[in-house]
């Protein structure tokens, strides 16, 4: 998504309510360039970008690791293959984000 009014040319992905800025390389590497780019109000975008962490239950993966992270209480918890499958978490719900987002979240067990 991007600012609908064009005041900000940065492209963002939403991860659990947080607007995460993407570089051009990330936008392409994560496959977001294959999806429609949506314009959103700049005020909403600014508020979403200012949030400290995604909401609880958000699943994240970044290019520095194959670990899928579960956000809980503003921190991240690594999941294993056993956490996915019928009646469990779905890989379809994982949001690809830059390493900067996963790196800033503390790790919990």
């Amino acid at each position: 998504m991007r600012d609908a009014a064009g005041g900000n040319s940065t492209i963002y992905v939403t991860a659990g309510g947080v607007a995460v800025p993407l570089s051009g390389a990330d936008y392409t590497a994560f496959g977001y360039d294959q999806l429609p780019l949506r314009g959103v109000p700049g005020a909403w975008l600014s508020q979403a970008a200012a949030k400290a962490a995604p909401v609880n239950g958000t699943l994240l993966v970044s290019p520095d690791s194959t670990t899928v992270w579960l956000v809980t209480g503003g921190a991240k918890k690594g999941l294993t293959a056993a956490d996915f499958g019928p009646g469990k978490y779905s890989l379809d719900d994982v949001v690809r984000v830059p390493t900067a987002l996963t790196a800033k979240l503390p790790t919990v067990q």
Side-chain angles (χ1 to χ4, degrees):
M1 69 187 149
R2 73 168 55 183
D3 184 341
N8 180 348
S9 63
T10 303
I11 296 174
Y12 298 82
V13 64
T14 304
V18 175
V20 182
L22 299 173
S23 69
D26 287 342
Y27 177 65
T28 302
F30 298 163
Y32 294 127
D33 61 332
Q34 303 301 309
L35 302 171
L37 188 58
R38 296 191 171 124
V40 298
W44 181 90
L45 191 57
S46 294
Q47 289 176 350
K51 292 183 180 181
V55 297
N56 288 347
T58 303
L59 300 174
L60 306 171
V61 68
S62 55
D64 64 323
S65 171
T66 58
T67 300
V68 173
W69 301 100
L70 170 66
V71 176
T72 179
K76 66 183 187 277
K77 176 184 177 186
L79 299 179
T80 66
D83 293 313
F84 293 89
K88 300 178 183 179
Y89 295 109
S90 171
L91 290 173
D92 292 338
D93 296 329
V94 177
V95 181
R96 286 169 264 145
V97 297
T99 302
L101 178 61
T102 55
K104 80 173 189 175
L105 299 174
T107 303
V108 296
Q109 298 299 324

